Amino acid sequence: ALLGVPGDRPLAQAALDALRGRLHDDVHGGWFASIAADGTVDTTKSGYAHAFVVLAASTGVVAGLDGAQELLDDALDVLDTRFFDAETGLHVDEWDESWSTLDPYRGVNGNMHAVEALLAAADVTGDARWRERALGIARYVGVEWAPGNGWRIPEHFDEAWAPQPDLNEATPDDPFKPYGATVGHGIEWARLFLNLSAGLGEDAPDWLVPAAQELYARAVADGWRESTPGAHGFVYTTGWDGEPVVETRMHWVAAEAVGAAASLFKATGEARYAADYERWWDHVAAVFLDGEHGSWHHELDAT
């Protein structure tokens, strides 16, 4: 809709209306994880999903969609009061429907998307506290957790935020909490660090851009594989030694690589990132774009 593509504004409005309607919990507040085709409701209250409501509402405000500002106000309030832990400066992961039971698991993924959402909210509202909150989360990753771990980001933690590096080692392809380092998240955090640096401007700490470069370099070195002719691609996860664990090629990882390379080139002016940008797009065009039906192939095997 923002690009002016005909017919997209009603679709965007319908999606926003669903977030204000069926997907919203009118009794307890917040949003349900999903509603199945048969009407079955997953009543989980997920920090990951709530971050995306903030992001969607922020974009809706920019697009001038009806009800977007009300949705953003509501979503920011829920994210702030239910998920943000002022003691740590991080977000918790998952509540039950009535906000009475908090799961002890803590994770980086939900916090990563909270950073993305808070940056969007800061841009739209002009409220600097959301950007400062995003910086507080980013500092854990870029200063405390990743540098001492070879720039591979620990993903899983317990209730006290102690790392759980062996979580799901026996089931490494767990769809929600895979074992090891997630290559795409290293790339995605790199882009978010650069977004944060740009948003903070002169107030940006000097570690953000170098940390983004380190995260990107590690993820590409570990994740990009060219062992088989015609089967290049980013693996999904690696062990803590950098060796592949789950070799599935996910479309979103390649998409993040394109965005990170573009952002790194803009931030540093270094030609190597422009070359990467072209290389990742060539890869996307070769294997992920569906020229027959449109969109992308979402998940490919190692060949």
Side-chain angles (χ1 to χ4, degrees):
L2 288 167
L3 286 169
V5 178
D8 277 357
R9 181 164 293 274
L11 297 175
Q13 187 66 57
L16 190 136
D17 290 346
L19 289 170
R20 297 189 70 204
R22 289 186 68 196
L23 287 164
H24 185 261
D25 184 347
D26 294 337
V27 176
H28 302 289
W31 287 268
F32 301 124
S34 65
I35 301 175
D38 64 2
T40 302
V41 178
D42 179 349
T43 59
T44 303
K45 302 289 175 62
S46 159
Y48 174 96
H50 281 68
F52 276 108
V53 178
V54 171
L55 183 59
S58 298
T59 310
V61 170
V62 176
L65 298 178
D66 294 339
Q69 185 62 58
E70 292 82 358
L71 179 64
L72 179 58
D73 293 342
D74 185 13
L76 280 170
D77 179 65
V78 174
L79 194 69
D80 184 34
T81 60
R82 299 295 189 180
F83 291 98
F84 181 65
D85 175 14
E87 185 176 340
T88 61
L90 295 162
H91 291 79
V92 299
D93 262 73
E94 191 172 291
W95 288 93
D96 66 342
E97 180 179 7
S98 62
W99 307 104
S100 56
T101 303
L102 176 61
D103 192 291
Y105 171 83
R106 303 287 182 267
V108 169
N109 194 17
N111 278 280
M112 179 179 70
H113 289 292
V115 167
E116 182 180 34
L118 291 167
L119 291 177
D123 288 344
V124 169
T125 65
D127 190 337
R129 67 177 162 144
W130 304 127
R131 199 173 285 118
E132 288 298 324
R133 186 167 292 183
L135 177 61
I137 299 168
R139 185 175 285 109
Y140 277 99
V141 174
V143 176
E144 296 192 25
W145 292 336
N149 200 46
W151 292 99
R152 299 180 184 100
I153 302 168
E155 292 280 340
H156 312 301
F157 295 77
D158 66 12
E159 195 170 12
W161 283 100
Q164 304 293 296
D166 298 329
L167 186 74
N168 288 335
E169 187 172 12
T171 54
D173 58 350
D174 183 277
F176 301 107
K177 300 170 185 174
Y179 162 75
T182 302
V183 169
H185 286 173
I187 296 170
E188 193 166 356
W189 272 110
R191 176 179 60 80
L192 289 171
F193 280 12
L194 297 170
N195 294 159
L196 184 53
S197 180
L200 289 167
E202 294 181 355
D203 295 328
D206 59 9
W207 57 265
L208 277 169
V209 173
Q213 292 178 287
E214 292 284 2
L215 287 169
Y216 176 85
R218 168 53 67 199
V220 171
D222 285 355
W224 180 254
R225 298 285 159 160
E226 299 186 354
S227 55
T228 306
H232 301 349
F234 290 101
V235 302
Y236 181 42
T237 62
T238 71
W240 302 114
D241 58 358
E243 289 303 308
V245 174
V246 178
E247 297 203 45
T248 304
R249 279 36 168 174
M250 301 290 195
H251 81 296
W252 66 266
V253 180
E256 286 294 344
V258 170
S263 298
L264 281 162
F265 177 61
K266 185 171 184 179
T268 68
E270 295 184 23
R272 58 185 171 133
Y273 295 122
D276 276 357
Y277 173 81
E278 295 184 7
R279 178 162 61 139
W280 307 147
W281 259 128
D282 286 346
H283 170 59
V284 168
V287 301
F288 283 111
L289 294 185
D290 183 346
E292 182 180 356
H293 302 293
S295 191
W296 298 41
H297 302 297
H298 281 208
E299 186 173 323
L300 301 172
D301 65 16
T303 62

